[in-house]
Amino acid sequence: MVNVAVLGYGTVGSGVYEVLTQNKEVISKRVGDEVNVKYVLDLREFPGDPVESVLVHDFDIILNDPEVDIVAEAMGGLNPAYKFAKATLEAGKNYCTSNKELVAKYGPELIALAEKMNKNFLFEASVGGGIPIIRPLNESLTGDNITEISGILNGTTNFILTKMDKEGSSFDDVLKEAQALGYAEKDPTADVEGYDACRKIAILSSLAYGSHVDFEDIYTEGITKITDVDFKYTKKMNKSIKLFGKSKNVNGKIYAMVAPFMIDDEHPLFSVNGVKNGILCKGPVIDDIMFYGSGAGKLPTASAVVADVIEEARYLNSHIKMVWEPEKIEIADIKTDENKYFVRVEGNADAKLAEVKAAFGEVEVVTVDDVTDEFAFITNVMAHEKYEEAAAKVSGIKQRIRMA
Ligand code: NDP
Ligand code: HSE
């Protein structure tokens, strides 16, 4: 029998428990041994819930039980998750987690510890919810040198942007809805300010390029400045706005960023709506490959955690190689990153165009009938630094969004 302990009985942890117990027969068959949930750890009581029979409040019970083979964590945060992960691996047990904060910060250290102990530290659910992306990067795409990853990596913000775009909903109302549906982080600032997507692109980039991409080095903008007026322009232009986590290797220089991007209806990620996430990888061998699915939510995320449990149950005593070296990759300065920009300016286009052209050169002007006292323009491709220089010469800029 393979015994599992689940840490955290919130949105994801309760889903993991549900899938492991309800699908026990098929899971055990796929492992070739019975997979049993021996413990669930949480701070709270759950009166009347079937979990009561396995509920514990003291992690040491799990750590000190030699029958526990796999610990699946869905508590979130760094503390005590880091302490628990380290202690679990040091005790000769396997660990898997949906916790991207933990993986982005301590990934290389915990992978190295797992390797030393001949155990596994897996984290499929840490990026893209239910989408298999970590295992494909670590196993299926390993014959290629990935050159670019662009992803809609946060379900909450994609849910908000989609509802603002398609239903004209208000930012605050949709955020509350996303929280009620269990999509958002405990502190939703992590979602709306892009910090969650930042950790996810750091994890994907580290695996794709093989060395540590530190999330703290990644330029990050969230979606809090996106307004209903921006969507009036996108509607006219058949475009949409998505929060992207991006990284690319340009002649050996690694760029990485998180920011809202305006994309047109032919972009492969244009139709990734609601809580869905989409991840596009490019490489000279694979060309383009895209991954799509639910980026957050109880059962889709549980699916990814359970897949890790199954993998660890199959390889209980052998380490699955994962290359994420601790040496930091130097991230190229955002100032040199090149994009077109969509810019909204106060005033009348006829009166202001000379000022805009003097700063930016030729631009494409966009106006929308029911948006008065302002206009928008689209720049040519320019480096971030050049954009900032030009923008400083134009008064009344209200908004700027990169275009992809
Ligand atoms: P929840 O807040 O719903 O669940 C976390 C659970 O863990 C809560 O029940 C919490 O108890 C419990 N917990 C916290 N600290 C401890 C502790 N020290 N000991 C025991 N139990 C503890 O979070 P989610 O399930 O939404 O998320 C969990 C993790 O999964 C996070 O890292 C998140 O980023 C990640 N994730 C979430 C997804 C989602 O769709 N929700 C998708 C992919 C990843 P209490 O409530 O009392 O604090
Ligand atoms: N808060 C995260 C999101 C959960 O909305 O994408 C999944 O990682």
Side-chain angles (χ1 to χ4, degrees):
M1 186 189 293
V2 178
N3 282 301
V4 182
V6 179
L7 309 186
Y9 195 65
T11 304
V12 178
S14 64
V16 172
Y17 177 69
E18 189 177 316
V19 176
L20 284 172
T21 48
Q22 290 184 4
N23 292 358
K24 179 171 177 158
E25 201 177 319
V26 71
I27 288 169
S28 300
K29 198 170 160 196
R30 285 176 182 151
V31 168
D33 196 354
E34 184 182 343
V35 176
N36 174 55
V37 181
K38 187 159 186 191
Y39 302 109
V40 172
L41 176 86
D42 203 281
L43 302 169
R44 289 173 291 159
E45 301 296 338
F46 298 92
D49 189 305
V51 80
E52 272 193 304
S53 61
V54 291
L55 189 66
V56 293
H57 303 297
D58 179 1
F59 175 67
D60 285 345
I61 296 172
I62 294 167
L63 189 65
N64 296 327
D65 184 342
E67 288 187 349
V68 172
D69 304 293
I70 299 169
V71 173
E73 183 253 316
M75 299 183 304
L78 292 178
N79 291 307
Y82 170 62
K83 200 173 73 178
F84 288 1
K86 227 175 139 178
T88 300
L89 292 166
E90 280 168 347
K93 302 178 193 298
N94 292 280
Y95 198 87
C96 59
T97 183
S98 58
N99 182 341
K100 42 274 157 107
E101 262 187 276
L102 176 75
V103 178
K105 187 149 176 86
Y106 294 110
E109 179 188 331
L110 294 171
I111 290 167
L113 179 57
E115 183 167 14
K116 182 177 151 209
M117 300 303 297
N118 210 22
K119 298 288 161 188
N120 290 294
F121 173 72
L122 301 181
F123 42 89
E124 184 59 72
S126 67
V127 182
I131 304 173
I133 178 65
I134 303 296
R135 202 160 286 115
L137 275 179
N138 193 47
E139 292 178 10
S140 323
L141 304 179
T142 32
D144 203 354
N145 283 308
I146 300 294
T147 50
E148 193 172 332
I149 304 172
S150 306
I152 296 173
L153 299 174
N154 182 272
T156 302
T157 45
N158 206 42
F159 185 75
I160 294 173
L161 291 173
T162 303
K163 289 235 174 191
M164 286 173 77
D165 185 2
K166 309 244 181 263
E167 297 170 24
S169 313
S170 91
F171 185 102
D172 292 338
D173 288 349
V174 195
L175 173 58
K176 282 193 193 116
E177 208 182 321
Q179 287 178 292
L181 288 163
Y183 301 157
E185 295 302 303
K186 199 168 190 178
D187 176 359
T189 314
D191 298 291
V192 298
E193 293 296 356
Y195 311 144
D196 177 74
C198 169
R199 291 186 171 96
K200 289 167 173 168
I201 193 67
I203 295 169
L204 295 182
S205 306
S206 299
L207 288 173
Y209 310 131
S211 274
H212 189 54
V213 172
D214 187 338
F215 68 92
E216 296 191 63
D217 294 341
I218 297 178
Y219 175 88
T220 300
E221 276 178 32
I223 63 160
T224 48
K225 293 187 183 138
I226 304 295
T227 69
D228 54 338
V229 179
D230 297 317
F231 286 110
K232 293 191 175 186
Y233 285 95
T234 56
K235 245 178 207 92
K236 172 153 185 198
M237 297 186 286
N238 288 330
K239 295 183 190 294
S240 190
I241 302 166
K242 305 285 186 190
L243 183 69
F244 274 7
K246 275 165 83 90
S247 81
K248 59 189 172 190
N249 181 340
V250 183
N251 302 324
K253 264 185 166 182
I254 304 290
Y255 286 85
M257 71 187 302
V258 172
F261 274 78
M262 194 176 276
I263 57 175
D264 66 37
D265 57 2
E266 287 184 5
H267 193 287
L269 296 172
F270 182 83
S271 305
V272 177
N273 288 319
V275 73
K276 295 287 194 282
N277 282 187
I279 303 158
L280 182 65
C281 300
K282 290 177 191 278
V285 178
I286 192 70
D287 196 11
D288 287 358
I289 185 161
M290 201 164 118
F291 300 85
Y292 171 85
S294 292
K298 174 175 161 169
L299 290 177
T301 310
S303 156
V305 177
V306 170
D308 281 350
V309 169
I310 292 173
E311 190 84 335
E312 291 184 342
R314 284 173 171 167
Y315 297 93
L316 267 188
N317 295 303
S318 73
H319 178 71
I320 301 160
K321 181 84 182 157
M322 197 180 271
V323 180
W324 180 342
E325 301 296 343
E327 288 73 33
K328 256 174 67 158
I329 292 181
E330 197 182 324
I331 301 298
D333 196 329
I334 191 72
K335 285 182 187 164
T336 58
D337 184 53
E338 295 189 337
N339 293 283
K340 279 187 175 184
Y341 288 86
F342 165 85
V343 187
R344 284 174 41 215
V345 198
E346 276 170 13
N348 175 281
D350 293 335
K352 264 201 119 154
L353 202 53
E355 185 185 336
V356 168
K357 282 186 174 175
F360 283 92
E362 280 308 314
V363 293
E364 180 190 335
V365 173
V366 189
T367 55
V368 175
D369 287 346
D370 63 339
V371 178
T372 52
D373 302 328
E374 67 162 74
F375 66 102
F377 63 90
I378 295 171
T379 70
N380 290 312
V381 173
M382 57 201 303
H384 179 83
E385 166 176 58
K386 296 287 172 207
Y387 169 82
E388 295 290 351
E389 279 170 27
K393 295 178 190 152
V394 177
S395 58
I397 291 185
K398 306 168 98 170
Q399 177 63 294
R400 64 115 176 86
I401 301 172
R402 291 175 179 80
M403 304 185 80

